[in-house]
Amino acid sequence: MIIDTLTSPVILFFLLGFFAAFAKSDLSIPEAFGKAMSIYLMVAIGLKGGVEVMNAGFSIDLLNAALAGLSLSFLLPVPAFFALIYFGKLKPVDAGAVAAHYGSVSVVTFVTAKELLTNQGLEPAGYMVAVLAIMETPAIISGLLLIRFGNKGKSTEKSNNNIKKLLHEVFTNASVILLIGAFIIGMVAGKSGFEPIKPLFEVGFKGVLCLFLLDMGLVAGRRLVQSNKLSLRLVMIGICLPIFNGTFGAIIGLGIGLDAGSAIALSILGASASYIAVPAAMRLAAPEADPGIYLTMSLGVTFPFNIIIGISLYTYIVQILG
Amino acid sequence: MIIDTLTSPVILFFLLGFFAAFAKSDLSIPEAFGKAMSIYLMVAIGLKGGVEVMNAGFSIDLLNAALAGLSLSFLLPVPAFFALIYFGKLKPVDAGAVAAHYGSVSVVTFVTAKELLTNQGLEPAGYMVAVLAIMETPAIISGLLLIRFGNKGKSTEKSNNNIKKLLHEVFTNASVILLIGAFIIGMVAGKSGFEPIKPLFEVGFKGVLCLFLLDMGLVAGRRLVQSNKLSLRLVMIGICLPIFNGTFGAIIGLGIGLDAGSAIALSILGASASYIAVPAAMRLAAPEADPGIYLTMSLGVTFPFNIIIGISLYTYIVQILG
Amino acid sequence: MIIDTLTSPVILFFLLGFFAAFAKSDLSIPEAFGKAMSIYLMVAIGLKGGVEVMNAGFSIDLLNAALAGLSLSFLLPVPAFFALIYFGKLKPVDAGAVAAHYGSVSVVTFVTAKELLTNQGLEPAGYMVAVLAIMETPAIISGLLLIRFGNKGKSTEKSNNNIKKLLHEVFTNASVILLIGAFIIGMVAGKSGFEPIKPLFEVGFKGVLCLFLLDMGLVAGRRLVQSNKLSLRLVMIGICLPIFNGTFGAIIGLGIGLDAGSAIALSILGASASYIAVPAAMRLAAPEADPGIYLTMSLGVTFPFNIIIGISLYTYIVQILG
Amino acid sequence: MVETVIRKRIEILVDTPLIPHIIDLLKKVDMSGWSVIHVDSGGGRDGEWSDDDFTGASAKSIILVIASEEKTNNLVDLIAPILDSHRLLLTVANVAVVRGHKF
Amino acid sequence: MVETVIRKRIEILVDTPLIPHIIDLLKKVDMSGWSVIHVDSGGGRDGEWSDDDFTGASAKSIILVIASEEKTNNLVDLIAPILDSHRLLLTVANVAVVRGHKF
Amino acid sequence: MVETVIRKRIEILVDTPLIPHIIDLLKKVDMSGWSVIHVDSGGGRDGEWSDDDFTGASAKSIILVIASEEKTNNLVDLIAPILDSHRLLLTVANVAVVRGHKF
Ligand SMILES: Nc1ncnc2c1ncn2[C@@H]1O[C@H](COP(=O)(O)O)[C@@H](O)[C@H]1O
Ligand SMILES: Nc1ncnc2c1ncn2[C@@H]1O[C@H](COP(=O)(O)O)[C@@H](O)[C@H]1O
Ligand SMILES: Nc1ncnc2c1ncn2[C@@H]1O[C@H](COP(=O)(O)O)[C@@H](O)[C@H]1O
Ligand code: NA
Ligand code: NA
Ligand code: NA
């Protein structure tokens, strides 16, 4: 499967971006274009997930997967936090911020995996999109609690009104609104209502994904090139943590009885790290944490690892365990 | 039909944007993406209108509708102006500016109506796109004349070279150029010339409309949330004026013998209020007028009313009268 | 063919943009949207070229065409330079900068020509995309060498580390990376790998080209309207140089035995002038050169000439010579 | 050391659609150079706004002008009466420039 | 000639996601007007960055505020402690404004 | 009250493609921090321009640098000779900053 992955245009565009960054090319994707593609991708997968769930009908699996995702997002930051402190030598505030990223998810990793899995007849169930949305933000809360725990005794002012702000952020974060909103619209519209808008959201999907991964490659590559924050220990964590989280996700997914495709998807959600919702929230809620660390680990190390190797690896793990 | 409307993805995306604005989500659509979609939509409907007119051949209806549209755009601001002054308690400069918006038209309201009407076998004639373009800017002149009338005696300097600027604005406004230009290109290219570019402008159309309405919902919702300029009286005018203008448009449309679909379209053009061409022109030609009033009325009150209720209402009115 | 050209929507949109600029309309295409379209077009033609070459297999023609393109890009600036100095009365630094533009190529002229030629059964071979990419940047080196030659004796400082920078620019320029990168991805993916992303890159292609040419028309028109740098002599060069270069390209193309379509394409590549890769490079490498001259000649004079008349002319020339 | 002279740095915060009007005023006082900077968002007595608004009517920009003191005074006199009606914000500061004859 | 008075022009360079937090501080010292300008790229001790980064987390902006000296002093006192931890850059300059009572 | 010191606020208006070149000069005089602001449009002796031009070659930006007086003088000396040939506009103003040792 790794070979399939490496010759898929989606991955090749990522590598092209990566290469351009390392070659210090002046290639750049306008910010507005990148954001537009990101909005498009979230709406498209939300819609398709909603339509599929409406078609398949609700099932107990959906509920199980949602609960599993919620728990994973809350819990995965905990081991990450301690690994980052004791092995990674980070300050508590940085460790908590990084940990939150690994509890949350990467939409593009999920989407890329979905494309690659579908090609192999392992398409995840439609409701996994809802799980994706559910997993976006709870990790932010865990991360901040871990920071407070790590800093105990120090600066606890401004905590009260912050909790209100935080819950607001968790529920109204742009990614959450887009994914859940489009998911519900997909459910309400159903297959027939989706028909007229399907061309835009289905015909163009894989092409847009290619262009977006070109952008991701550029951004991830530049992060790596420009970073001076990345110790060897952090790089190791950036590779081992997704393997650990992915295996954990696989076990949970199989444990609650998901089909192979959905279990792989849950594994990938566990393994992936956020690079949009969480960084923005962390910058605001934990401004002392260094974005140079969490963005570089998430975008520069874990994202490429997951895209190039991880997806195949988690598929393999589920197939071994399943 | 209201039910159909409310479960159509196009409207649901508008509601999603509206909801995100009220929930104070950080969701935002990059300005360049919004403008790109707006350009795409205008070019697409211009082209399709031109191709359709070329196919159907010119007719006396086209001429009648064009004249009716021109007159409506010039005349509708007059009653609006007096309602805004005497009932809305606005200053003349604000009343004139708002009135100009209601004489002009909303491209997205028209497009959304066209989609919903086509689903019911009530598709308006292709030439209504030309009427749309014709109605964009004459109301600007009426509005400014009304302001001058309301302010008579006061500040009449700078009037001469302004008239030249104004006529220039009326004919070369971006929306007018795009709509008329694409319309003519559609006519010249005809069905066969349109064929190769049809995929972009037809396949993607409804999907783009969804994303644009998501943006409109956000912007309209934020206007309502942030506004402190909106009295109850102005909200009432923002709802009653489109009903009045829509009914008037319906009567004229049926009076000049248009088919039901086109009469409904004329009614909707009358009822809709501009939010791009006129605000920009007013800001320049009547800088003393408060954009907080005219944008909030047009975008925050009348646009949602027309999208959610108005379109069905004007359809109903035409069917009753017809 | 000129008539076909002038009624093709692609060209009509260019004329619409041109008209809007001359009418001083406030129409504008957001910069990010223009750049996004430009990236899309380059990726799309790169991909299609790569897939076609993979299908057709490598051939000696490919190698010949590549060498011919490379030589043209290096050599065409030389006669241009002397014409610009002796007939155009430009300073060496300006003459060298302009000459570099005419040695390089215009992606949009190539793409537009490809569309028009394909309609007439004269489609160029897939590998011409690689030739396009190869011709983008060598002319920059020629142009700078010509400037140094013209300024001999004067300011030769900073030459050493500049050469390294220059070679870097030549190989990692954004257009080169996108074209060559997408070309290689197209080759690796092949017909089957291209299938899933084909909808975006093929279905939307001509429509996007229309919108991009609208933008080009606006920009070219504004350049012409606002310019005060353009002497009659420079306008004449802006028209005669592409005819000369185009004829030269046609002779070379036929001389090395290319099929008619590919020879026309080589002719058009020779005739076209760069407006993205070279201006940016010149601004940095020869900051004393006046962008008001080279951009206005390339975008304001030569581009419209090539689009409206040139493509048909070079087709005719190849058919006469062939 | 290169010699510098003092000139005025004028910033005019203005609704984007009004820019052409202000440029006309600049030209009236014989100012021939200016630069426009985009403003992303802001807040004032009228509440908060942000530019992610495709209508363009509520977008704001800053017009930046470097000019001589004399021309600056003329401009301030010309603009002062419409500061309120046109919702402008005008500030003037001193800056050192090289070769001041250009301004 | 129109009369002008001296006010403070405050520039705060800030990570874009932190803007709401700084606005809260502005409001605490009773400043009611501000404008946000986008920063495209830059460099500092942490290396170079540019905004063509869809994550948005590394984008920077400048918050521009015209205010009275008194409020400015209060703001500086309020912000100084977090300048380092929040990676802010704060500068204050004098500018002449017409009708200074607004600030 | 927090103590402030006076530093220089340098603005360099520059064609966007030339930014790397200017950054090199900044580094030569040991300036390690700068921010780049996008300029939307403008006018000068060469006529008017606006950035809705996908070529990018005519786009302009402002490089903003806060620096000590000494480094500023060095920079002005370094840039003055190319001001005309590279079409730059350079202004220097005084600003108060907190903890000036950083600049
Ligand atoms: N006095 C000025 N104040 C502000 N910006 C200026 C000034 N003069 C020129 N500029 C800017 O510099 C660009 C080039 O000016 P010029 O070299 O005079 O054509 C203009 O388009 C403006 O953006
Ligand atoms: N004191 C200020 N400093 C900087 N910008 C301001 C200030 N006051 C107002 N503004 C800007 O001007 C806009 C309109 O202000 P206002 O007319 O007070 O609503 C605001 O949204 C801000 O962008
Ligand atoms: N002296 C300076 N002048 C202008 N901008 C600066 C300066 N120092 C830092 N910056 C900006 O602040 C950002 C963060 O700086 P730093 O915290 O030093 O990495 C840089 O990327 C620049 O955009
Ligand atoms: Na995760
Ligand atoms: Na109307
Ligand atoms: Na050429």
Side-chain angles (χ1 to χ4, degrees):
Chain A
M1 179 178 177
I2 284 240
I3 294 298
D4 285 358
T5 303
L6 289 179
T7 59
S8 141
V10 174
I11 306 298
L12 291 171
F13 273 102
F14 178 76
L15 294 175
L16 178 61
F18 223 63
F19 168 78
F22 277 93
K24 295 190 192 271
S25 164
D26 58 347
L27 176 61
S28 80
I29 311 285
E31 191 192 1
F33 184 33
K35 286 196 176 150
M37 290 194 288
S38 158
I39 290 169
Y40 166 88
L41 291 174
M42 285 195 271
V43 168
I45 65 164
L47 279 172
K48 279 188 273 182
V51 172
E52 280 171 37
V53 165
M54 207 51 195
N55 268 9
F58 284 88
S59 71
I60 189 71
D61 279 352
L62 191 166
L63 203 71
N64 282 340
L67 282 176
L70 193 69
S71 319
L72 283 172
S73 184
F74 268 121
L75 297 178
L76 289 181
V78 181
F81 180 74
F82 291 104
L84 288 158
I85 296 237
Y86 293 109
F87 184 73
K89 309 287 182 205
L90 291 186
K91 285 187 298 183
V93 66
D94 288 322
V98 174
H101 287 70
Y102 285 86
S104 176
V105 294
S106 151
V107 175
V108 173
T109 309
F110 176 81
V111 168
T112 309
K114 195 164 174 252
E115 293 305 324
L116 295 171
L117 289 172
T118 306
N119 288 347
Q120 332 211 346
L122 285 169
E123 186 169 11
Y127 56 71
M128 288 311 292
V129 171
V131 178
L132 164 77
I134 287 169
M135 289 179 74
E136 281 271 0
T137 45
I140 298 171
I141 297 181
S142 303
L144 293 174
L145 291 176
L146 287 165
I147 293 175
R148 198 177 299 176
F149 163 83
N151 280 336
K152 59 182 172 276
K154 295 183 225 157
S155 72
T156 43
E157 33 97 46
K158 64 174 173 159
S159 46
N160 283 340
N161 79 332
N162 266 15
I163 282 174
K164 231 183 86 195
K165 273 194 198 162
L166 204 65
L167 286 176
H168 181 258
E169 173 71 21
V170 166
F171 288 110
T172 68
N173 181 285
S175 313
V176 173
I177 292 268
L178 280 179
L179 284 169
I180 301 274
F183 191 85
I184 293 175
I185 293 178
M187 293 210 303
V188 174
K191 210 168 177 174
S192 67
F194 183 52
E195 209 58 50
I197 57 174
K198 192 169 164 175
L200 182 73
F201 292 112
E202 210 154 286
V203 168
F205 191 75
K206 283 178 206 168
V208 174
L209 188 59
C210 285
L211 293 178
F212 193 68
L213 273 161
L214 175 65
D215 196 1
M216 295 277 304
L218 271 170
V219 172
R222 290 215 175 107
R223 284 254 146 228
L224 273 186
V225 169
Q226 290 169 1
S227 171
N228 46 15
K229 298 285 171 64
L230 217 58
S231 65
L232 185 63
R233 282 165 179 263
L234 290 181
V235 174
M236 283 172 63
I237 295 182
I239 290 175
C240 296
L241 207 50
I243 300 181
F244 173 81
N245 289 351
T247 310
F248 197 69
I251 294 171
I252 302 283
L254 292 170
I256 59 173
L258 299 183
D259 60 287
S262 303
I264 299 169
L266 192 66
S267 164
I268 281 156
L269 289 175
S272 71
S274 172
Y275 51 81
I276 295 189
V278 180
M282 277 300 142
R283 203 69 201 88
L284 191 58
E288 300 85 1
D290 185 344
I293 299 176
Y294 51 72
L295 276 175
T296 310
M297 286 187 68
S298 161
L299 262 176
V301 180
T302 301
F303 181 76
F305 171 76
N306 276 335
I307 288 290
I308 296 173
I309 299 175
I311 297 176
S312 309
L313 182 65
Y314 313 133
T315 307
Y316 183 73
I317 290 177
V318 166
Q319 283 168 339
I320 294 283
L321 296 179
Chain B
M1 179 176 178
I2 284 239
I3 294 299
D4 285 357
T5 304
L6 290 180
T7 59
S8 140
V10 173
I11 306 299
L12 291 171
F13 273 101
F14 178 77
L15 294 176
L16 178 60
F18 223 63
F19 168 78
F22 277 92
K24 295 190 192 270
S25 163
D26 59 347
L27 177 61
S28 81
I29 312 285
E31 191 192 0
F33 184 33
K35 286 197 176 150
M37 290 193 288
S38 158
I39 289 170
Y40 167 88
L41 292 173
M42 285 195 271
V43 168
I45 65 163
L47 279 173
K48 279 188 272 181
V51 172
E52 280 171 36
V53 164
M54 207 52 194
N55 268 8
F58 283 89
S59 71
I60 188 72
D61 279 353
L62 190 167
L63 203 72
N64 282 341
L67 282 176
L70 193 69
S71 319
L72 282 173
S73 183
F74 267 121
L75 296 179
L76 289 180
V78 180
F81 180 74
F82 291 104
L84 289 157
I85 297 237
Y86 293 110
F87 184 72
K89 309 288 182 203
L90 291 185
K91 284 187 297 181
V93 66
D94 288 323
V98 174
H101 287 71
Y102 284 86
S104 177
V105 294
S106 151
V107 175
V108 174
T109 309
F110 176 80
V111 168
T112 310
K114 195 164 174 253
E115 292 306 324
L116 295 172
L117 289 173
T118 305
N119 287 348
Q120 332 213 344
L122 284 168
E123 185 167 13
Y127 57 71
M128 289 310 292
V129 171
V131 179
L132 164 77
I134 288 169
M135 290 180 74
E136 280 272 0
T137 44
I140 298 171
I141 298 181
S142 303
L144 293 174
L145 290 176
L146 286 165
I147 292 175
R148 199 177 298 176
F149 163 84
N151 279 337
K152 58 182 173 278
K154 295 183 225 158
S155 72
T156 42
E157 32 98 46
K158 65 174 172 159
S159 46
N160 284 339
N161 79 332
N162 266 14
I163 283 175
K164 230 182 87 195
K165 273 194 198 162
L166 206 64
L167 286 176
H168 181 257
E169 173 71 21
V170 166
F171 287 111
T172 68
N173 181 285
S175 313
V176 174
I177 292 268
L178 280 180
L179 285 169
I180 301 274
F183 190 87
I184 292 176
I185 293 177
M187 293 209 304
V188 174
K191 210 168 178 173
S192 67
F194 183 52
E195 209 57 49
I197 58 174
K198 193 170 163 175
L200 182 74
F201 293 112
E202 211 153 286
V203 168
F205 191 75
K206 283 179 207 169
V208 173
L209 189 59
C210 285
L211 293 178
F212 193 69
L213 273 161
L214 174 66
D215 196 2
M216 295 278 303
L218 272 171
V219 172
R222 289 215 175 108
R223 283 256 146 227
L224 273 186
V225 169
Q226 289 170 1
S227 171
N228 48 15
K229 297 285 171 63
L230 217 57
S231 65
L232 186 62
R233 281 165 180 263
L234 290 181
V235 175
M236 283 172 63
I237 295 183
I239 291 174
C240 295
L241 207 49
I243 300 182
F244 174 81
N245 289 352
T247 310
F248 198 68
I251 293 171
I252 300 283
L254 292 169
I256 61 174
L258 299 182
D259 61 288
S262 303
I264 298 170
L266 192 66
S267 165
I268 282 158
L269 289 174
S272 71
S274 171
Y275 52 81
I276 295 189
V278 180
M282 278 299 143
R283 204 67 202 89
L284 191 57
E288 299 87 358
D290 186 343
I293 299 176
Y294 51 71
L295 276 175
T296 311
M297 287 188 67
S298 162
L299 262 176
V301 180
T302 300
F303 180 76
F305 171 77
N306 276 335
I307 288 289
I308 296 172
I309 298 174
I311 296 176
S312 310
L313 182 65
Y314 312 132
T315 307
Y316 184 72
I317 290 178
V318 167
Q319 284 169 337
I320 293 284
L321 295 178
Chain C
M1 179 175 177
I2 284 240
I3 294 298
D4 285 358
T5 304
L6 289 180
T7 59
S8 141
V10 172
I11 306 298
L12 291 171
F13 273 102
F14 178 77
L15 294 176
L16 178 60
F18 224 61
F19 168 78
F22 277 93
K24 295 189 192 272
S25 164
D26 58 347
L27 177 61
S28 80
I29 312 285
E31 191 192 1
F33 184 33
K35 287 196 176 151
M37 290 193 287
S38 158
I39 290 169
Y40 167 88
L41 292 174
M42 285 194 271
V43 168
I45 64 163
L47 279 173
K48 279 188 272 181
V51 172
E52 281 171 36
V53 164
M54 207 51 195
N55 269 8
F58 283 89
S59 71
I60 188 72
D61 279 352
L62 190 167
L63 202 72
N64 282 341
L67 282 176
L70 192 69
S71 319
L72 283 173
S73 184
F74 267 121
L75 297 178
L76 289 181
V78 180
F81 180 74
F82 292 103
L84 288 158
I85 296 236
Y86 293 110
F87 183 73
K89 310 288 182 202
L90 291 186
K91 285 188 297 183
V93 65
D94 288 322
V98 173
H101 287 71
Y102 284 86
S104 176
V105 294
S106 152
V107 175
V108 173
T109 309
F110 175 80
V111 168
T112 310
K114 195 163 174 253
E115 293 305 325
L116 295 172
L117 289 172
T118 305
N119 288 348
Q120 331 212 347
L122 285 168
E123 186 166 12
Y127 57 69
M128 289 311 292
V129 171
V131 178
L132 164 78
I134 288 169
M135 289 180 73
E136 280 271 0
T137 45
I140 298 172
I141 298 181
S142 303
L144 293 174
L145 290 175
L146 287 165
I147 292 175
R148 198 176 298 176
F149 163 83
N151 280 335
K152 58 182 172 275
K154 295 184 225 156
S155 71
T156 43
E157 32 99 45
K158 64 175 173 158
S159 45
N160 285 338
N161 79 332
N162 266 14
I163 282 174
K164 230 182 86 194
K165 273 194 198 164
L166 206 63
L167 285 176
H168 182 257
E169 173 70 22
V170 166
F171 288 109
T172 68
N173 180 285
S175 313
V176 174
I177 292 268
L178 279 179
L179 285 169
I180 301 273
F183 190 86
I184 294 175
I185 293 177
M187 293 209 304
V188 174
K191 211 169 177 174
S192 67
F194 183 52
E195 210 57 50
I197 58 174
K198 192 169 163 175
L200 182 74
F201 293 111
E202 210 154 285
V203 168
F205 191 75
K206 283 179 207 168
V208 173
L209 188 59
C210 285
L211 292 178
F212 193 69
L213 273 161
L214 174 66
D215 195 1
M216 295 278 303
L218 271 171
V219 172
R222 289 215 175 108
R223 284 255 146 228
L224 273 186
V225 169
Q226 289 170 1
S227 170
N228 46 15
K229 297 285 170 64
L230 218 57
S231 65
L232 185 62
R233 280 164 181 263
L234 290 180
V235 175
M236 283 171 64
I237 295 182
I239 290 174
C240 296
L241 208 49
I243 300 181
F244 173 81
N245 289 352
T247 309
F248 198 69
I251 294 171
I252 302 281
L254 293 170
I256 60 173
L258 299 183
D259 60 288
S262 303
I264 299 170
L266 191 66
S267 165
I268 282 157
L269 289 174
S272 71
S274 172
Y275 51 81
I276 294 190
V278 180
M282 278 299 143
R283 204 66 201 90
L284 190 58
E288 300 85 0
D290 186 343
I293 299 176
Y294 50 72
L295 275 175
T296 311
M297 286 187 67
S298 161
L299 262 176
V301 180
T302 301
F303 180 76
F305 171 76
N306 275 336
I307 288 291
I308 297 173
I309 298 174
I311 296 175
S312 310
L313 182 64
Y314 313 132
T315 307
Y316 184 72
I317 290 177
V318 167
Q319 283 168 339
I320 293 284
L321 296 178
Chain D
M1 242 210 70
V2 178
E3 206 192 334
T4 60
V5 294
I6 299 299
R7 290 289 173 270
K8 295 294 178 187
R9 179 182 189 278
I10 310 166
E11 270 184 346
I12 310 169
L13 182 77
V14 54
D15 287 22
T16 304
L18 272 177
I19 291 176
H21 183 54
I22 305 294
I23 304 290
D24 284 350
L25 298 183
L26 295 181
K27 286 176 182 164
K28 269 197 189 140
V29 298
D30 201 32
M31 290 174 172
S32 63
W34 69 89
S35 299
V36 177
I37 295 171
H38 184 76
V39 181
D40 271 7
S41 62
R45 291 152 303 161
D46 272 9
E48 309 192 2
W49 61 274
S50 98
D51 75 344
D52 63 346
D53 184 335
F54 54 85
T55 69
S58 64
K60 282 185 196 295
S61 299
I62 287 174
I63 304 181
L64 175 69
V65 190
I66 312 297
S68 69
E69 176 155 14
E70 196 198 324
K71 290 183 188 174
T72 304
N73 288 341
N74 293 341
L75 183 71
V76 173
D77 286 349
L78 201 63
I79 283 191
I82 61 164
L83 274 183
D84 268 336
S85 65
H86 291 53
R87 276 158 243 262
L88 308 173
L89 197 78
L90 175 90
T91 67
V92 178
N94 289 324
V95 287
V97 300
V98 184
R99 277 166 322 119
H101 59 267
K102 286 174 48 183
F103 305 100
Chain E
M1 243 211 69
V2 178
E3 206 192 334
T4 60
V5 294
I6 299 300
R7 290 289 174 269
K8 294 294 178 188
R9 179 182 189 278
I10 309 165
E11 269 184 347
I12 309 169
L13 181 77
V14 55
D15 287 22
T16 305
L18 273 177
I19 292 176
H21 183 55
I22 304 294
I23 304 290
D24 284 350
L25 298 183
L26 294 182
K27 286 177 181 163
K28 270 197 188 141
V29 297
D30 201 32
M31 290 174 172
S32 63
W34 70 89
S35 298
V36 177
I37 295 170
H38 183 77
V39 180
D40 271 7
S41 61
R45 291 153 302 161
D46 273 9
E48 309 194 1
W49 62 274
S50 99
D51 76 343
D52 63 345
D53 184 335
F54 54 84
T55 69
S58 65
K60 283 185 194 295
S61 298
I62 288 174
I63 304 181
L64 175 68
V65 189
I66 313 296
S68 69
E69 176 155 13
E70 195 198 323
K71 290 183 189 174
T72 303
N73 288 340
N74 294 340
L75 183 71
V76 173
D77 286 349
L78 201 62
I79 283 191
I82 61 164
L83 274 182
D84 268 335
S85 64
H86 292 54
R87 276 158 245 260
L88 308 173
L89 196 78
L90 175 90
T91 67
V92 178
N94 288 324
V95 287
V97 301
V98 184
R99 279 165 322 120
H101 59 269
K102 286 174 48 183
F103 305 100
Chain F
M1 243 212 69
V2 179
E3 205 191 334
T4 59
V5 294
I6 300 299
R7 290 287 173 271
K8 294 294 177 186
R9 180 183 189 276
I10 310 166
E11 268 183 347
I12 310 170
L13 182 77
V14 54
D15 287 22
T16 304
L18 273 177
I19 291 177
H21 184 54
I22 305 294
I23 304 290
D24 284 350
L25 299 183
L26 295 182
K27 287 176 181 165
K28 271 197 189 141
V29 298
D30 201 31
M31 290 173 172
S32 62
W34 69 88
S35 298
V36 177
I37 295 170
H38 184 75
V39 180
D40 271 7
S41 62
R45 291 152 303 160
D46 272 10
E48 310 193 0
W49 62 275
S50 98
D51 76 344
D52 63 346
D53 184 334
F54 55 85
T55 69
S58 64
K60 282 185 195 295
S61 299
I62 288 174
I63 304 181
L64 175 69
V65 190
I66 312 297
S68 68
E69 176 155 13
E70 195 198 324
K71 290 183 188 174
T72 304
N73 288 341
N74 293 341
L75 183 71
V76 172
D77 287 349
L78 200 63
I79 282 191
I82 61 164
L83 273 182
D84 268 335
S85 65
H86 291 53
R87 276 158 245 261
L88 308 173
L89 197 78
L90 175 89
T91 66
V92 179
N94 289 324
V95 287
V97 301
V98 184
R99 278 167 320 121
H101 60 268
K102 287 174 48 183
F103 305 100

